[in-house]
Amino acid sequence: MTALNNQFLLLEQQLMYYKKEDFINLLSEDFLEYGSSGGIMDKPFLLNEVTDQGIEEWLFTVTDFQAISIADQIVQTRFVTTNRTNGNSQNRSSLWRNENGTWRMFFHQGTPTK
């Protein structure tokens, strides 16, 4: 795995703990998520959904991870998650932007795999 892949896999996995502090630090102020249910969520909405302590173990396994530099200071991640409890898989993609030396996610989308 490349250094770019490793760096962004760690960032994506950090968010999978659903800790409020991580969401505050890693989501851009203009963040939007298009959820697999069709809903559109922003940063304030997600901050109300997570807790200070988060969860202890990831709910997902991650496969087929790729991080691709698509513009100066913009990286797209593409990967598949599989829910450990029900086996459901989703294709996921995130856009990350370097904001004053800190990588922050500004867009995320998940869609069920077929």
Side-chain angles (χ1 to χ4, degrees), residues 2-3 8 10 12 19-20 29 32 35 37-38 44-45 47 54 60 62 68 85 90 92 103 107 109 111:
T2 68
F8 283 90
L10 290 173
E12 292 280 1
K19 290 182 182 176
K20 187 172 281 195
E29 292 307 310
L32 280 179
S37 64
F45 176 85
L47 289 175
F60 306 101
V62 176
I68 301 123
T85 58
Q90 288 195 4
R92 295 186 183 265
W103 286 101
F107 181 79
Q109 183 170 9
T111 58

Side-chain angles (χ1 to χ4, degrees), residues 35-102:
S36 60
S37 64
I40 300 173
M41 296 155 276
D42 61 8
K43 184 174 181 175
F45 176 85
L46 291 178
L47 289 175
N48 285 325
E49 299 295 308
V50 295
T51 62
D52 291 337
Q53 68 274 10
I55 60 174
E56 292 184 24
E57 243 184 87
W58 295 324
L59 301 175
F60 306 101
T61 56
V62 176
T63 55
D64 302 326
F65 191 86
Q66 297 176 27
I68 301 123
S69 179
I70 60 172
D72 188 37
Q73 305 299 314
I74 304 284
V75 169
Q76 181 184 40
T77 58
R78 303 171 189 166
F79 54 102
V80 176
T81 59
T82 302
N83 186 303
R84 291 181 181 184
T85 58
N86 62 21
N88 291 341
S89 293
Q90 288 195 4
N91 293 309
R92 295 186 183 265
S93 180
S94 303
L95 292 172
W96 293 81
R97 173 175 53 217
N98 191 322
E99 298 178 1
N100 300 315
T102 301

Side-chain angles (χ1 to χ4, degrees), residues 18-42:
Y18 298 100
K19 290 182 182 176
K20 187 172 281 195
E21 182 178 353
D22 293 337
F23 277 53
I24 290 169
N25 293 329
L26 294 176
L27 298 182
S28 185
E29 292 307 310
D30 61 349
F31 173 83
L32 280 179
E33 176 175 348
Y34 287 15
S36 60
S37 64
I40 300 173
M41 296 155 276
D42 61 8

